[in-house]
């Protein structure tokens, strides 16, 4: 562990994080984590814990973390889509060269419906983009 710890720790939760202030300035030299807030990344809500009032520094660090987290999640989303394109290509290769008739029977209808749904959405969205130009 490094000798200098950050002032805040964010424990990621499904829709945000629990925010802790780190304290090592105590007699036992133990790391103490004092929960100061819970944040919801989707709606931007910050709820101080208990009767606590967040300082300007607390609010600034929480806002900085929320922006960084949103950026990271957006990057992950697009990375997942690029992986999906790769999976579609791998699935095509599998269906063409390796799949047994039984395996194809098991997945064909679900794949066709999913691809039809995806195609419909993509075509509609592309038409909307062309309509705005």
């Amino acid at each position: 562990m490094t000798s200098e710890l950050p002032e805040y720790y964010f424990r990621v939760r499904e829709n945000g994080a629990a925010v802790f202030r780190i304290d090592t300035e105590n007699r036992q030299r133990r790391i103490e984590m004092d929960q100061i807030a819970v944040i919801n990344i989707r709606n931007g809500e910050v709820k101080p814990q208990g009767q606590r009032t967040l300082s300007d520094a607390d609010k600034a660090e929480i806002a900085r973390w929320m922006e960084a987290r949103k950026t990271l999640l957006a990057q992950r989303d697009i990375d997942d889509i690029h992986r999906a394109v790769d999976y579609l290509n791998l699935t095509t290769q599998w269906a063409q060269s390796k799949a047994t008739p039984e395996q194809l029977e098991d997945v064909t209808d679900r794949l066709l419906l999913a691809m039809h749904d995806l195609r419909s959405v993509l075509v509609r969205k592309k038409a909307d983009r062309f309509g705005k130009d």
Side-chain angles (χ1 to χ4, degrees):
M1 193 176 265
T2 62
S3 60
E4 191 165 323
L5 294 173
E7 189 174 347
Y8 297 92
Y9 171 72
F10 295 81
R11 182 192 300 151
V12 175
R13 298 165 30 140
E14 188 168 328
N15 292 327
V19 184
F20 296 86
R21 188 177 293 121
I22 306 298
D23 178 20
T24 56
E25 301 297 323
N26 54 63
R27 290 188 297 212
Q28 296 84 18
R29 293 186 151 193
R30 292 184 181 160
I31 298 171
E32 292 182 8
M33 296 172 52
D34 182 27
Q35 187 173 355
I36 61 171
V38 173
I39 57 179
N40 184 317
I41 199 84
R42 289 195 179 143
N43 65 14
E45 186 175 51
V46 177
K47 291 183 182 178
Q49 287 301 105
Q51 302 298 317
R52 187 175 314 276
T53 301
L54 298 176
S55 70
D56 289 340
D58 295 338
K59 291 175 187 175
E61 186 61 21
I62 289 169
R64 186 207 58 75
W65 183 87
M66 289 175 74
E67 281 307 309
R69 184 71 179 169
K70 287 177 186 177
T71 300
L72 175 65
L73 293 175
Q75 289 170 344
R76 285 181 181 170
D77 281 348
I78 197 67
D79 191 47
D80 287 345
I81 299 307
H82 288 292
R83 273 195 207 97
V85 172
D86 287 348
Y87 285 134
L88 283 170
N89 286 313
L90 292 169
T91 301
T92 302
Q93 185 61 33
W94 168 82
Q96 184 175 6
S97 63
K98 296 179 184 177
T100 66
E102 294 80 19
Q103 290 172 322
L104 287 172
E105 184 63 34
D106 185 41
V107 298
T108 297
D109 289 342
R110 288 183 291 154
L111 277 171
L112 287 172
L113 287 170
M115 290 185 320
H116 175 74
D117 185 30
L118 175 60
R119 183 183 184 284
S120 298
V121 169
L122 292 175
V123 167
R124 184 177 68 247
K125 293 287 191 172
K126 188 162 193 141
D128 290 348
R129 287 193 312 273
F130 280 134
K132 291 180 182 179
D133 291 340

